[in-house]
Amino acid sequence: MAACSVEELLAKAEEEEKEKLKSITVHKDLELEFDVGNLLAVDKNRIDSRDVKSAKKEDFLRALARDNTQLLINEVWKLPTERVDDAIVATLPEPTTPLPREKPPPKPKPPTKWEQFAKLKGIQKKKKTNLVWDETAKEWRRRWGYKRAKDDTKEWMIEVPETADPNEDQFSKRTNAKKERVARNEYNKLKNIARAQKVKIPGLGLTPKEQQSKNELTKAVSVAKTSTASAGRFQDRLPKEKRAKNTGKKRKFEPLIGDFSNERQKQLELLKVLDSKKPKLDITKAVNKQMREEDREEAAAKRSKGAGKKGRKGNVPGKRKGKAGKAQGGKRRGKPGKR
């Protein structure tokens, strides 16, 4: 019994080994169509529907895929090969089957402002070599970057020009000039990107457009006024000009740390006002309020008196319009109610 079981195990192992090491020769009724450039194989052989619907559907599909893949690999090995780092590589030909793209092809980049100018003037780009001869170091060095030729940043002394200020720091001047060049290049790069994407570049003042709105004009005027040395403090205002928004005094807050004597004094005064039974009287405010009320009453009385006289004049009988009436009554001086 044990011997039979061993023989069965050996036979099963041999079958599994044969299953793994199948022959590379595959027989098909119809030859497959190959596109080796795309690693594509098209099998036009008829498939029996009973094999697909049977219980061994997965085994059938696995065997079919294995045979077709074997035929495709056989076609790949027919191509010219070469050895690269202990690996055999086959050179694939150009694909013959056009495959659809998942996404549309990228659009060509629009030309920059300089490229448009160069095309208009017929300027052709010349390729420069990366290495140039450095007379100071007496060797070939890179044109740009680290250890470049004619690197003026390594100089420990700079000659002051005759027209420059002798007290000016030439090292800081050179550093600031480089920062300005970098910022200018970055700004031009952003402008090219905005022009390519058809995005309007925002401006501080008046952005060029066909028609400006009232808010844009007001903002442009305020920016122009505050661009003076005095920040617009001594600029005259136009007639009927309104004050620009967000230009008033900013609120000042007490510091959170430090001397708290002012805060304590304010809190004590507030408690004193709350504890007192009589409200605190501001004499100046009360006097001003009383004066305004008196002026308002006097102006109302004058208006009512002038209105009454004007009404009585219209109700007087026997008066006619014309030169005779004017001659009799004469000209009236001043406004009604004011003599």
Side-chain angles (χ1 to χ4, degrees), residues 206-233:
L206 197 62
T207 307
K209 58 167 65 174
E210 296 181 359
Q211 188 175 2
Q212 311 295 337
S213 63
K214 183 178 179 181
N215 295 334
E216 291 175 345
L217 293 173
T218 305
K219 184 179 178 181
V221 171
S222 62
V223 170
K225 283 188 174 182
T226 55
S227 61
T228 58
S230 61
R233 186 176 300 176

Side-chain angles (χ1 to χ4, degrees), residues 226-260:
T226 55
S227 61
T228 58
S230 61
R233 186 176 300 176
F234 304 105
Q235 295 294 321
D236 297 332
R237 300 180 66 179
L238 298 174
K240 298 182 181 180
E241 181 184 358
K242 296 182 180 180
R243 184 180 294 274
K245 296 181 180 180
N246 303 326
T247 57
K249 295 182 179 180
K250 295 185 178 181
R251 295 176 59 188
K252 294 183 179 180
F253 298 94
E254 297 294 335
L256 300 177
I257 57 175
D259 188 13
F260 296 100

Side-chain angles (χ1 to χ4, degrees), residues 110 191-201:
K191 284 176 64 177
N192 289 331
I193 294 174
R195 190 184 300 108
Q197 296 182 356
K198 297 181 180 180
V199 178
K200 294 182 179 180
I201 303 175

Side-chain angles (χ1 to χ4, degrees), residues 11-29:
K12 187 177 181 181
E14 289 179 0
E15 290 179 0
E16 291 179 356
E17 191 69 19
K18 289 180 181 180
E19 187 70 22
K20 292 180 181 179
L21 301 176
K22 285 185 177 180
S23 175
I24 61 173
T25 304
V26 179
H27 175 70
K28 290 282 186 177
D29 296 336

Side-chain angles (χ1 to χ4, degrees), residues 25-303:
T25 304
V26 179
H27 175 70
K28 290 282 186 177
D29 296 336
L30 297 176
E31 294 292 334
L32 273 65
E33 296 179 3
F34 298 100
D35 183 6
V36 187
N38 288 324
L39 295 178
L40 175 65
V42 181
D43 188 2
K44 294 185 177 180
N45 289 281
R46 183 180 178 183
I47 299 176
D48 193 355
S49 59
R50 291 176 294 179
D51 296 335
V52 178
K53 296 179 180 179
S54 63
K56 297 182 179 180
K57 175 183 176 181
E58 296 294 334
D59 297 337
F60 171 74
L61 294 177
R62 189 179 295 108
L64 182 62
R66 182 262 168 198
D67 294 341
N68 292 339
T69 306
Q70 183 64 58
L71 291 174
L72 179 61
I73 294 175
N74 294 343
E75 292 294 325
V76 171
W77 280 111
K78 294 178 183 179
L79 300 174
T81 58
E82 58 180 350
R83 182 176 294 275
V84 178
D85 297 338
D86 299 334
I88 299 176
V89 180
T91 304
L92 298 179
E94 290 294 331
T96 57
T97 304
L99 299 177
R101 292 176 58 94
E102 180 185 0
K103 297 180 181 179
K107 297 180 180 179
K109 288 186 178 181
T112 61
K113 200 170 183 180
W114 163 250
E115 291 175 350
Q116 293 176 356
F117 175 78
K119 184 178 180 180
L120 180 65
K121 297 296 181 180
I123 302 174
Q124 296 182 357
K125 187 177 181 181
K126 297 180 181 180
K127 187 175 181 181
K128 297 181 180 180
T129 58
N130 192 22
L131 297 177
V132 294
W133 179 257
D134 190 358
E135 294 291 342
T136 305
K138 301 298 180 181
E139 63 180 1
W140 292 93
R141 289 192 173 183
R142 296 184 181 91
R143 189 183 296 271
W144 304 280
Y146 178 65
K147 289 186 178 182
R148 63 182 179 271
K150 300 178 183 180
D151 188 4
D152 54 358
T153 59
K154 303 299 181 182
E155 298 176 356
W156 61 274
M157 181 177 63
I158 302 176
E159 183 180 357
V160 180
E162 296 181 358
T163 58
D165 186 7
N167 298 324
E168 186 179 10
D169 188 0
Q170 297 297 325
F171 291 97
S172 62
K173 183 179 179 181
R174 176 185 294 174
T175 304
N176 295 334
K178 183 177 180 181
K179 290 181 179 179
E180 289 179 1
R181 290 195 301 270
V182 173
R184 192 183 303 112
N185 292 337
E186 187 67 22
Y187 177 67
N188 292 334
K189 176 184 175 182
L190 295 177
K191 284 176 64 177
N192 289 331
I193 294 174
R195 190 184 300 108
Q197 296 182 356
K198 297 181 180 180
V199 178
K200 294 182 179 180
I201 303 175
L204 294 176
L206 197 62
T207 307
K209 58 167 65 174
E210 296 181 359
Q211 188 175 2
Q212 311 295 337
S213 63
K214 183 178 179 181
N215 295 334
E216 291 175 345
L217 293 173
T218 305
K219 184 179 178 181
V221 171
S222 62
V223 170
K225 283 188 174 182
T226 55
S227 61
T228 58
S230 61
R233 186 176 300 176
F234 304 105
Q235 295 294 321
D236 297 332
R237 300 180 66 179
L238 298 174
K240 298 182 181 180
E241 181 184 358
K242 296 182 180 180
R243 184 180 294 274
K245 296 181 180 180
N246 303 326
T247 57
K249 295 182 179 180
K250 295 185 178 181
R251 295 176 59 188
K252 294 183 179 180
F253 298 94
E254 297 294 335
L256 300 177
I257 57 175
D259 188 13
F260 296 100
S261 58
N262 294 334
E263 184 179 0
R264 182 176 59 184
Q265 186 68 22
K266 290 181 180 180
Q267 297 294 338
L268 290 175
E269 290 179 359
L270 181 60
L271 290 174
K272 185 177 180 181
V273 173
L274 293 175
D275 292 340
S276 61
K277 296 181 180 180
K278 295 182 180 179
K280 186 177 179 180
L281 178 62
D282 190 351
I283 299 176
T284 305
K285 188 175 181 179
V287 171
N288 292 336
K289 185 177 180 181
Q290 182 65 25
M291 292 175 65
R292 285 196 297 271
E293 289 181 357
E294 291 178 358
D295 292 343
R296 197 179 295 111
E297 291 176 359
E298 184 178 357
K302 287 182 179 180
R303 283 198 299 270

